[in-house]
Amino acid sequence: MKEQLVDRYLGGDHRQGIYAVAYFDSPDWGEDTAGRRRCRRRDLEANRDLFARQAEEVTLEGDAEVSAFVLDCSV
């Protein structure tokens, strides 16, 4: 989050950002699909909690104010 958002895009007068994450989980994916394996590691709420904590940590570092948003793109 710090490298992808803060370090690349939030400099100068631009000190606030939104870290957007798309969460995909499709019943059509086979068990051997890499996307499904990665997706199954954490459910939607666990991902929301994880990224919210990361955004809070980045914000507390003082370089920028970041909010995280996890969009449920499940089919």
Side-chain angles (χ1 to χ4, degrees):
M1 187 176 293
K2 182 166 175 20
E3 290 176 11
Q4 290 180 350
L5 178 60
V6 176
D7 293 347
R8 286 187 188 177
Y9 302 105
L10 300 181
D13 293 337
H14 303 98
R15 305 309 305 157
Q16 296 174 322
I18 296 173
Y19 192 80
V21 178
Y23 177 85
F24 296 89
D25 188 12
S26 173
D28 295 333
W29 287 345
E31 288 298 325
D32 60 341
T33 303
R36 186 173 183 109
R37 287 191 302 272
R38 283 191 301 272
C39 187
R40 289 283 181 211
R41 283 189 248 164
R42 288 184 305 271
D43 65 15
L44 177 62
E45 289 307 314
N47 274 295
R48 286 182 171 153
D49 291 341
L50 171 75
F51 291 111
R53 284 192 311 271
Q54 285 183 8
E56 184 177 345
E57 290 171 10
V58 169
T59 298
L60 290 174
E61 289 177 9
D63 295 329
E65 184 178 340
V66 176
S67 297
F69 181 76
V70 179
L71 178 64
D72 185 0
C73 296
S74 301
V75 177

